[in-house]
Amino acid sequence: MKQKSSEIHVAKVLPFSEESLTFCAKALKSDSLVAFPTETVYGLGANALSEKAAEKIFSAKGRPKSDPLIVHISFMRQAESLTNMSEFQRQCFDVLGTKFWPGPLTIIVKASNIVPKIITANGDSIALRIPANKVAQELLKQANIPVAAPSANRFGHVSPTTAKHVYDDLSDFDDLYILDHSENCSIGIESTVIKIFEKNKIALLRPGAISSLQIKSELNKEKINFKFEILQRVVKIQDIEKSANISMESPGQLLTHYAPTIEAFIVTNQSKSENFGQTFSKEFLNSSVIIDFNQKNASLMKSSLKYIDLSSRGDFDEASQNLFSYLRNAEKIEGAKYILLPDLIEQNNEKSFGVFDRIYRAASGKYINII
Ligand code: TXA
Ligand code: MG
């Protein structure tokens, strides 16, 4: 199935048109892969009811089968046959789906038995989302099937926010059509993921544009009784490689995730106990690309190879939109050996959590001190 890019059969990029949209909807129905823009990142879509189609996602991405897939639907009633919800799940699902969909929220509830095991990674829950991007919506509507879609990057690499990013990572997969639309991913980081347990508990598994405060406030308005937990477990990639059956609440929570191909660090002026120890040298800075936020590390600009700011005015929405493309650009700069990222942990703002979560993982949790 995998072919070298020098061979004829490679992934095809289709400039957006009504015809290419219809073509892609048909391709999904016949179990091919279609990469499409959403408001968060590009998704790598496959028919969620076909084991054969879902297999292709894992093979194209090089993703371990222990990592379940998000299923994209186009309207809330489409969730009926895919789920088998408890009363509590149903109540929360209705409130949150009605309020936040279409939008960047993924909701995990109990799966029904029509969902192929490859989608749930042999678990009993399913992750669902209705995307807000118009191209994604039209594609789902025309295909008229639930579409499994992880981010369309090579496993562990930075998520894609343009069709070109997808092509750069997955061009050697022959049964893939990439729908290229200029109105790309306006949010720029993946959806917030929550899990609704069968009884009275909700957990945040991945931060994103919809905050836990917003989620809690909607449930409180409806006087629903619930416990809310933040279950962001940081798991090292070696642990998942050791055991394909490793049990994790959210298997995608790997420490080394969203990682550029060159080494990245978070710049700090504080001592971070476990990771403290690395310091700058002149040569180090000369071969470093600095990706900043709100001009925090602007003093390093002159001695660095290249300096770019995610948002020089300190806007987290702008930063999240830019982060993945800046990381991908940085790894391609000639002479670049390192990427230095901003420490946003001290920003006491829930909007910074999603961006910093990706920065932390891009750097595999490594900090570096300024002397
Ligand atoms: O914004 C997004 O969510 C994008 C776009 C394309 O929709 N998709 C995306 O998918 O980020 P992916 O596969 O890269 O991330 C999905 C995350 C993973 O961490 C996965 O482990 C988790 O959701 N997940 C999916 N199904 C799950 C389940 N049933 N139980 C627990 N975690 C689940
Ligand atoms: Mg991903």
Side-chain angles (χ1 to χ4, degrees):
M1 194 47 83
K2 279 222 148 196
Q3 311 230 355
K4 295 236 163 56
S5 44
S6 57
E7 291 176 28
I8 304 162
H9 300 289
V10 292
K12 286 169 203 64
V13 179
L14 304 179
F16 181 82
S17 67
E18 287 308 321
E19 293 74 46
S20 49
L21 190 91
T22 304
F23 176 88
C24 286
K26 283 192 186 139
L28 281 173
K29 279 189 174 188
S30 47
D31 290 350
S32 291
L33 296 185
V34 172
F36 59 97
T38 81
E39 75 281 27
T40 59
V41 298
Y42 259 77
L44 181 64
N47 180 355
L49 297 176
S50 157
E51 191 168 337
K52 182 176 142 220
E55 282 276 352
K56 294 180 187 170
I57 290 181
F58 291 93
S59 138
K61 277 184 68 103
R63 175 167 164 136
K65 293 245 176 83
S66 52
D67 200 356
L69 301 172
I70 297 177
V71 175
H72 296 68
I73 53 177
S74 44
F75 51 94
M76 277 184 71
R77 259 177 303 113
Q78 220 178 353
E80 288 305 313
S81 64
L82 302 168
T83 57
N84 180 13
M85 293 188 239
S86 69
E87 209 182 307
F88 175 71
Q89 286 178 323
R90 156 75 52 207
Q91 220 182 356
C92 299
F93 182 87
D94 286 349
V95 171
L96 298 176
T98 307
K99 174 71 191 176
F100 296 111
W101 283 347
L105 177 68
T106 295
I107 306 179
I108 300 173
V109 292
K110 190 154 191 247
S112 75
N113 49 22
I114 73 156
V115 181
K117 284 292 173 198
I118 188 168
I119 299 289
T120 63
N122 270 320
D124 62 2
S125 61
I126 181 169
L128 292 167
R129 172 165 119 77
I130 303 184
N133 176 294
K134 292 280 173 277
V135 177
Q137 284 185 349
E138 194 51 40
L139 181 69
L140 289 170
K141 206 167 119 199
Q142 286 198 24
N144 198 25
I145 44 171
V147 172
S151 49
N153 51 284
R154 203 167 22 75
F155 178 67
H157 193 214
V158 178
S159 295
T161 52
T162 66
K164 164 110 181 30
H165 293 164
V166 180
Y167 189 79
D168 286 347
D169 274 19
L170 305 178
S171 66
D172 64 351
F173 196 81
D174 61 345
D175 192 14
L176 164 64
Y177 300 95
I178 304 167
L179 194 52
D180 185 2
H181 194 282
S182 56
E183 200 187 294
N184 279 319
C185 312
S186 56
I187 293 176
I189 59 169
E190 302 86 340
S191 61
T192 305
V193 179
I194 57 162
K195 177 165 180 167
I196 307 175
F197 287 80
E198 291 195 29
K199 270 199 178 155
N200 301 3
K201 192 172 100 174
I202 297 183
L204 175 78
L205 304 185
R206 181 174 73 184
I210 291 176
S211 71
S212 53
L213 275 181
Q214 286 173 284
I215 293 166
K216 287 191 264 188
S217 139
E218 287 311 310
L219 297 169
N220 285 332
K221 271 192 217 158
E222 298 302 319
K223 310 232 171 333
I224 296 176
N225 248 326
F226 63 96
K227 251 181 36 199
F228 194 91
E229 272 179 25
I230 297 191
L231 261 188
Q232 250 193 293
R233 291 217 267 149
V234 168
V235 181
K236 295 205 178 80
I237 202 152
Q238 303 89 287
D239 294 338
I240 198 173
E241 280 167 355
K242 259 189 252 150
S243 160
N245 301 319
I246 197 159
S247 150
M248 286 187 276
E249 205 52 72
S250 189
Q253 297 294 26
L254 296 171
L255 177 55
T256 305
H257 211 114
Y258 319 109
T261 50
I262 57 175
E263 197 168 8
F265 296 91
I266 300 162
V267 176
T268 179
N269 50 18
Q270 291 160 23
S271 143
K272 308 262 172 188
S273 52
E274 330 114 71
N275 303 305
F276 179 61
Q278 306 247 21
T279 48
F280 288 122
S281 69
K282 230 182 157 178
E283 301 76 69
F284 182 89
L285 268 179
N286 283 339
S287 50
S288 293
V289 177
I290 297 185
I291 299 183
D292 206 358
F293 176 77
N294 203 14
Q295 307 171 58
K296 276 167 74 75
N297 298 320
S299 62
L300 305 174
M301 189 189 307
K302 279 213 181 89
S303 21
S304 67
L305 179 64
K306 170 129 182 121
Y307 174 94
I308 29 177
D309 201 317
L310 290 169
S311 171
S312 53
R313 55 192 165 96
D315 179 313
F316 288 108
D317 293 335
E318 186 181 23
S320 92
Q321 194 177 39
N322 289 333
L323 180 63
F324 289 149
S325 60
Y326 281 21
L327 285 170
R328 279 178 179 259
N329 290 342
E331 67 187 16
K332 287 199 195 126
I333 292 174
E334 211 186 313
K337 288 198 191 134
Y338 308 103
I339 299 175
L340 304 185
L341 295 160
D343 188 0
L344 304 185
I345 201 74
E346 76 274 16
Q347 313 270 337
N348 198 10
N349 173 338
E350 212 182 330
K351 279 206 162 179
S352 73
F353 294 169
V355 183
F356 190 64
D357 173 71
R358 277 61 174 192
I359 287 178
Y360 186 79
R361 290 166 203 279
S364 303
K366 295 191 299 312
Y367 285 86
I368 196 159
N369 256 71
I370 305 178
I371 27 175

